[in-house]
């Protein structure tokens, strides 16, 4: 009788543990490996100090927040984007709130589509700081329009900016890292580089291309274990990406971010990015539910994922046509708060 009671207690404990883990997953905002690294892994404050970090797309959104958080870690910063005045604004705030001095920050205007300028830009960074420890490929642009309403020029621009521009800059920096046999190439991709969604199929294509390129590059660099290639896949994050998204024509943008209160805060996203960089994680998913769950389904149960994505896709198009944020309704049930 005692053995039977013990067996039932073990079964009950196992079920209780399963329920607890399920509840934790429903509140998760990153993949399980990332959250384990946050709990037990190396701290950015220990691992990233004294490094030279080059951030593209640093004038707003994730890139801007990344600059602020890095400025508190004692790194040397290179800030790149097209808008010089916005880069100067970010630099001033880094100096005001961070632990850096004027000499620690280089404002380097850069147009990712002007691939002919990337070699000179790389040389400018090396001349200023003597090395590049981390390249953060964050620059890019999104899209909000249906396929039949979208000019081919939009798809061409997204590929040239998001994919070819990033590849070009990486190829310029890579010889330096190979010579030193160390460095980190961190590419800010998107959950839409794993799954696909309506209204952003050109953006999805450019991000899928990035995933394929950098996964392949990682295998080519297997003989250089000191060079880490990391792909970061954020879900919806509070930023200007929707406002700046192309709307059917290369001359038109959405011009309005809409309500972003349901999205992950940029500061939380960047903190998880820094943790992934400190722990040399190769692929990282950063998203709240339900997108994190859908990403897992795409990875491990694609047939179910197709069915769910089709359902969510219809609602996304309805939201867009009614003038609200395309993803807003998904978060009403799943939205979680972080202290």
């Amino acid at each position: 009788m005692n053995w039977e009671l013990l067996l039932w207690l073990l079964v009950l404990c196992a079920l209780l543990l399963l329920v607890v883990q399920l509840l934790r997953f429903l509140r998760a905002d990153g993949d399980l490996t990332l959250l384990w690294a946050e709990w037990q892994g190396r701290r950015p404050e220990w691992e990233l100090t004294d490094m030279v970090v080059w951030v593209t797309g640093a004038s707003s959104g994730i890139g801007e927040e990344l600059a602020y958080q890095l400025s508190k870690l004692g790194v040397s910063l290179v800030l790149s984007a097209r808008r010089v005045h916005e880069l100067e604004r970010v630099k001033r705030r880094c100096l005001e709130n961070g632990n850096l001095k004027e000499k620690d920050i280089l404002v380097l205007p850069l147009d990712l589509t002007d691939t002919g300028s990337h070699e000179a830009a790389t040389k400018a960074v090396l001349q200023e700081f003597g090395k590049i420890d981390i390249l953060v490929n964050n620059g890019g642009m999104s899209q909000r329009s249906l396929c039949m309403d979208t000019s081919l020029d939009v798809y061409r621009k997204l590929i040239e900016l998001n994919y070819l521009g990033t590849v070009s800059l990486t190829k310029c920096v890579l010889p330096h890292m190979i010579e030193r046999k160390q460095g980190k190439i961190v590419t800010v991709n998107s959950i839409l580089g794993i799954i696909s969604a309506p209204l952003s199929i050109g953006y999805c294509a450019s991000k899928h291309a990035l995933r394929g390129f950098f996964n392949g590059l990682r295998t080519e660099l297997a003989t250089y274990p000191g060079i880490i290639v990391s792909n970061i896949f954020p879900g919806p994050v509070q930023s200007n990406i929707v406002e700046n998204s192309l709307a059917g024509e290369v001359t038109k943008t959405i011009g309005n971010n809409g309500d972003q209160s349901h999205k992950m805060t940029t500061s939380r996203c960047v903190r998880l990015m820094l943790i992934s960089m400190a722990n040399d994680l190769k692929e990282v998913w950063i998203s709240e539910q339900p997108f994190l769950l859908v990403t897992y389904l795409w990875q491990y149960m694609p047939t179910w994922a197709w069915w769910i994505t089709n359902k969510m896709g219809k609602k996304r198009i309805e939201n867009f046509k009614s003038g609200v944020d395309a993803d807003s309704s998904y978060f009403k049930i799943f939205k979680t708060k972080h202290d």
Side-chain angles (χ1 to χ4, degrees), residues 118-170:
H118 295 177
E119 188 67 42
T122 302
K123 290 179 180 179
V125 176
L126 294 175
Q127 183 175 358
E128 181 73 17
F129 294 117
K131 64 176 183 175
I132 300 171
D133 293 298
I134 305 176
L135 171 64
V136 182
N137 291 312
N138 175 69
M141 178 177 284
S142 189
Q143 168 215 354
R144 287 292 188 278
S145 56
L146 293 169
C147 177
M148 295 304 297
D149 302 328
T150 305
S151 165
L152 186 62
D153 289 337
V154 168
Y155 296 145
R156 182 178 292 110
K157 181 170 183 176
L158 290 169
I159 291 294
E160 289 177 351
L161 174 60
N162 296 352
Y163 176 62
L164 292 176
T166 298
V167 168
S168 172
L169 187 61
T170 299

Side-chain angles (χ1 to χ4, degrees), residues 201-215:
I201 61 176
Y203 178 73
C204 291
S206 67
K207 294 299 186 176
H208 278 259
L210 281 177
R211 189 189 195 197
F213 176 85
F214 283 103
N215 281 346

Side-chain angles (χ1 to χ4, degrees), residues 54-339:
W54 188 359
V55 182
T56 66
S59 60
S60 64
I62 290 175
E64 178 180 351
E65 178 63 25
L66 184 60
Y68 297 150
Q69 294 196 29
L70 283 169
S71 69
K72 298 177 182 179
L73 300 182
V75 306
S76 296
L77 270 177
V78 182
L79 305 178
S80 287
R82 290 175 299 172
R83 298 176 295 172
V84 181
H85 64 286
E86 290 297 322
L87 291 175
E88 293 291 349
R89 175 185 61 81
V90 173
K91 177 182 177 178
R92 287 194 299 271
R93 186 171 170 187
C94 286
L95 293 173
E96 292 169 0
N97 301 324
N99 299 321
L100 303 182
K101 299 178 180 179
E102 184 83 23
K103 65 179 180 61
D104 299 319
I105 305 178
L106 172 64
V107 168
L108 184 63
L110 183 74
D111 183 350
L112 282 175
T113 62
D114 182 12
T115 56
S117 68
H118 295 177
E119 188 67 42
T122 302
K123 290 179 180 179
V125 176
L126 294 175
Q127 183 175 358
E128 181 73 17
F129 294 117
K131 64 176 183 175
I132 300 171
D133 293 298
I134 305 176
L135 171 64
V136 182
N137 291 312
N138 175 69
M141 178 177 284
S142 189
Q143 168 215 354
R144 287 292 188 278
S145 56
L146 293 169
C147 177
M148 295 304 297
D149 302 328
T150 305
S151 165
L152 186 62
D153 289 337
V154 168
Y155 296 145
R156 182 178 292 110
K157 181 170 183 176
L158 290 169
I159 291 294
E160 289 177 351
L161 174 60
N162 296 352
Y163 176 62
L164 292 176
T166 298
V167 168
S168 172
L169 187 61
T170 299
K171 281 175 60 64
C172 290
V173 173
L174 189 56
H176 167 69
M177 292 186 174
I178 289 177
E179 182 181 354
R180 297 180 65 217
K181 297 183 179 180
Q182 64 181 28
K184 302 178 191 285
I185 301 171
V186 180
T187 301
V188 182
N189 200 300
S190 168
I191 286 295
L192 293 183
I194 301 174
I195 69 177
S196 292
L199 299 169
S200 303
I201 61 176
Y203 178 73
C204 291
S206 67
K207 294 299 186 176
H208 278 259
L210 281 177
R211 189 189 195 197
F213 176 85
F214 283 103
N215 281 346
L217 179 62
R218 188 185 299 113
T219 64
E220 292 188 5
L221 295 174
T223 53
Y224 298 94
I227 301 178
I228 307 300
V229 178
S230 299
N231 289 327
I232 310 292
F233 296 89
V237 173
Q238 294 175 7
S239 71
N240 294 328
I241 191 169
V242 175
E243 178 181 357
N244 296 325
S245 295
L246 296 177
E249 300 288 342
V250 292
T251 56
K252 294 172 57 180
T253 59
I254 294 297
N256 180 18
N257 278 321
D259 179 19
Q260 297 202 70
S261 60
H262 56 278
K263 298 181 179 180
M264 177 184 285
T265 62
T266 315
S267 59
R268 174 60 177 169
C269 176
V270 168
R271 178 60 187 177
L272 291 175
M273 286 175 57
L274 292 177
I275 289 169
S276 74
M277 292 160 62
N279 288 275
D280 294 336
L281 301 183
K282 295 178 177 63
E283 180 162 309
V284 171
W285 306 343
I286 301 174
S287 182
E288 296 180 344
Q289 304 292 6
F291 294 99
L292 183 63
L293 173 61
V294 172
T295 305
Y296 269 97
L297 290 176
W298 269 92
Q299 186 80 0
Y300 300 109
M301 305 175 71
T303 301
W304 280 32
W306 272 116
W307 182 82
I308 291 175
T309 302
N310 286 340
K311 295 291 185 181
M312 296 174 68
K314 291 178 182 179
K315 186 61 178 176
R316 197 169 198 258
I317 294 172
E318 291 174 7
N319 287 348
F320 177 75
K321 290 183 175 180
S322 63
V324 301
D325 184 86
D327 301 318
S328 60
S329 62
Y330 306 138
F331 289 87
K332 292 180 180 178
I333 298 176
F334 290 94
K335 177 66 178 172
T336 58
K337 302 290 185 181
H338 297 288
D339 295 334

